[in-house]
């Protein structure tokens, strides 16, 4: 049975630089077009952590060079990452569609996502972006107003706020493209964060978690299933321990219990489970699937993955 599916691509579906990314998305496109070929409507979201950090660093380096290139604000760096990741994805998907003689179009929508300017995340930046720095380098750059945090003994990284998504500005455009039968790539990197300031949308330096934006997107396009792709085929408790247990089906109540027991790592599986719960609770009959890219088709058929439903 065909479904309307929102797919949230994890970092393993993208590369860390343009050339490796083009190779990675060629493989990603095969799995996506497999789902399209089965008659499903597919909407794609993706992260941008390494990419937006790379763009931001390049722009800052150019600004500090003899060329004195104008400094690029962070929301604009997010928009650039949406454009180039979107280009690679839609190009790979279109080539895969053509190779199978499937007459479908694929388009990327540069997407603004509304966040609440009162979100507590703005008081505590936590989302790491860009390269690692020494303590001395971080202290020097902090004079520009940037926030830095030590990252697992590997050095210091710039951190920005990670507010929750409230709405998607281009939702009507995305819905129109989906209803016309297109494959749509949207809310790239969680979307370009904007706040509503006196009736105008204003970009803010932040990174929205792409899993939460994907859940909001899935709600707004009235998807049947949200598929959150990650490096593992199923969610587990006691992960990495001798008594590790893979989970096939979870209720909201079971998820809440495991979260209370701190079974899911922050910054890793926890936001994926929380986003899956958010979508599953949004309307009767909706469910979310957490699995790997390679296992997505089997997961949708109920043969693997972790299904979360209300």
């Amino acid at each position: 049975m065909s479904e309307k599916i929102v797919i949230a691509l994890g970092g393993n579906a993208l590369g860390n630089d343009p050339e490796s990314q083009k190779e990675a998305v060629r493989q990603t496109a095969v799995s996506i077009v497999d789902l399209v070929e089965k008659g499903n409507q597919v909407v794609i979201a993706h992260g941008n952590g390494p990419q937006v950090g790379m763009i931001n660093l390049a722009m800052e380096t150019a600004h500090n060079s003899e060329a004195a290139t104008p400094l690029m604000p962070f929301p604009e760096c997010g928009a650039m990452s949406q454009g180039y990741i979107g280009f690679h994805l839609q190009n790979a998907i279109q080539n895969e569609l053509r190779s199978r003689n499937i007459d479908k179009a694929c388009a990327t929508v540069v997407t603004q996502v509304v966040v609440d300017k009162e979100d507590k995340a703005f008081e505590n930046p936590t989302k790491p972006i860009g390269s690692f720095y020494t303590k001395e380098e971080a202290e020097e750059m902090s004079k520009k107003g940037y926030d830095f945090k030590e990252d697992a003994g590997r050095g210091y990284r710039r951190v920005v706020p990670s507010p929750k998504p409230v709405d998607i500005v281009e939702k009507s455009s995305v819905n129109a493209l989906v209803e016309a039968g297109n494959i749509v790539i949207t809310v790239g990197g969680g979307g370009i964060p904007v706040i509503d300031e006196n009736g105008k949308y204003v970009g803010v330096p932040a990174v929205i978690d792409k899993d939460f934006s994907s859940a909001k997107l899935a709600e707004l396009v009235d998807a049947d299933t949200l598929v959150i792709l990650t490096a593992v085929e199923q969610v587990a408790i006691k992960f990495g321990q001798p008594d590790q247990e893979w989970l096939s089906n979870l209720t909201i109540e079971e998820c809440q219990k495991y979260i209370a027991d701190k079974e899911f790592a922050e910054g890793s599986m926890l936001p994926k489970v929380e986003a899956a719960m958010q979508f599953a609770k949004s309307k009767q009959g909706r469910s979310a699937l957490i699995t790997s890219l390679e296992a997505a088709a089997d997961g949708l058929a109920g043969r693997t993955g972790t299904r979360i439903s209300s």
Side-chain angles (χ1 to χ4, degrees):
M1 186 175 68
S2 63
E3 295 186 53
K4 185 184 290 184
I5 302 166
V6 168
I7 300 175
L9 295 176
N12 58 321
L14 305 171
N16 290 320
D17 59 71
E19 286 308 312
S20 65
Q21 181 168 284
K22 280 195 283 190
E23 180 55 39
V25 298
R26 272 196 285 269
Q27 301 303 316
T28 300
V30 173
S31 298
I32 289 170
V33 176
D34 284 345
L35 298 176
V36 172
E37 198 166 31
K38 289 180 169 67
N40 296 298
Q41 286 182 296
V42 176
V43 186
I44 301 160
H46 61 82
N48 74 341
Q51 294 86 355
V52 73
M54 177 185 68
I55 292 168
N56 184 242
L57 177 61
M59 291 297 172
E60 190 163 281
T61 301
H63 174 70
N64 293 328
S65 72
E66 291 181 4
T69 302
L71 195 59
M72 188 65 65
F74 195 74
E76 281 75 357
C77 292
M80 290 179 178
S81 75
Q82 283 192 0
Y84 106 76
I85 296 170
F87 158 57
H88 283 173
L89 278 169
Q90 71 186 42
N91 178 266
I93 291 167
Q94 284 167 334
N95 285 337
E96 186 65 25
L97 291 167
R98 292 179 72 186
S99 74
R100 304 191 200 187
N101 294 314
I102 298 173
D103 185 19
K104 267 191 176 293
C106 180
T108 298
V109 177
V110 175
T111 319
Q112 303 169 91
V113 174
V114 181
V115 298
D116 184 354
K117 61 183 176 182
E118 303 299 330
D119 193 309
K120 296 295 184 184
F122 286 109
E123 300 173 12
N124 181 32
T126 58
K127 193 77 170 179
I129 60 165
S131 301
F132 291 93
Y133 297 93
T134 65
K135 184 177 182 180
E136 292 73 25
E137 288 171 332
E139 287 174 348
E140 182 63 28
M141 294 178 71
S142 294
K143 295 176 183 177
K144 300 178 181 179
Y146 296 160
D147 293 293
F148 283 84
K149 287 190 178 179
E150 198 272 336
D151 190 333
R154 297 177 291 177
Y156 288 76
R157 293 180 77 187
R158 182 184 172 190
V159 289
V160 295
S162 186
K164 292 290 195 297
V166 174
D167 198 8
I168 296 172
V169 176
E170 291 79 14
K171 60 191 174 191
S172 60
S173 299
V174 172
N175 268 310
L177 285 165
V178 173
E179 292 308 312
N182 299 286
I183 302 165
V184 184
I185 301 160
T186 183
V187 298
I192 303 161
V194 296
I195 57 171
D196 194 336
E197 192 77 68
N198 300 319
K200 294 183 179 180
Y201 294 122
V202 179
V204 291
V207 172
I208 307 168
D209 188 287
K210 61 101 173 121
D211 294 317
F212 288 113
S213 287
S214 299
K216 178 59 68 176
L217 170 67
E219 289 178 39
L220 295 176
V221 300
D222 195 24
D224 300 299
T225 305
L226 167 64
V227 181
I228 299 178
L229 299 178
T230 186
V232 293
E233 202 167 303
Q234 289 183 299
V235 177
I237 55 173
K238 313 295 182 188
F239 186 73
Q241 300 175 32
D243 54 347
Q244 174 177 296
E245 180 184 346
W246 297 107
L247 306 171
S248 297
N249 294 284
L250 287 171
T251 64
I252 300 299
E253 293 73 21
E254 287 170 330
C255 289
Q256 290 169 335
K257 178 186 181 300
Y258 290 137
I259 289 171
D261 292 341
K262 300 190 181 302
E263 286 286 359
F264 308 129
E266 290 186 24
S268 179
M269 189 56 75
L270 179 59
K272 299 181 191 312
V273 172
E274 290 177 331
M277 292 167 60
Q278 176 185 311
F279 177 69
K281 290 191 294 185
S282 64
K283 184 179 178 181
Q284 190 67 34
R286 289 175 173 170
S287 66
L289 174 71
I290 301 176
T291 191
S292 66
L293 175 66
E294 298 77 14
D298 283 340
L300 287 165
R303 291 189 287 269
T304 189
T306 301
R307 180 79 65 162
I308 297 174
S309 53
S310 59

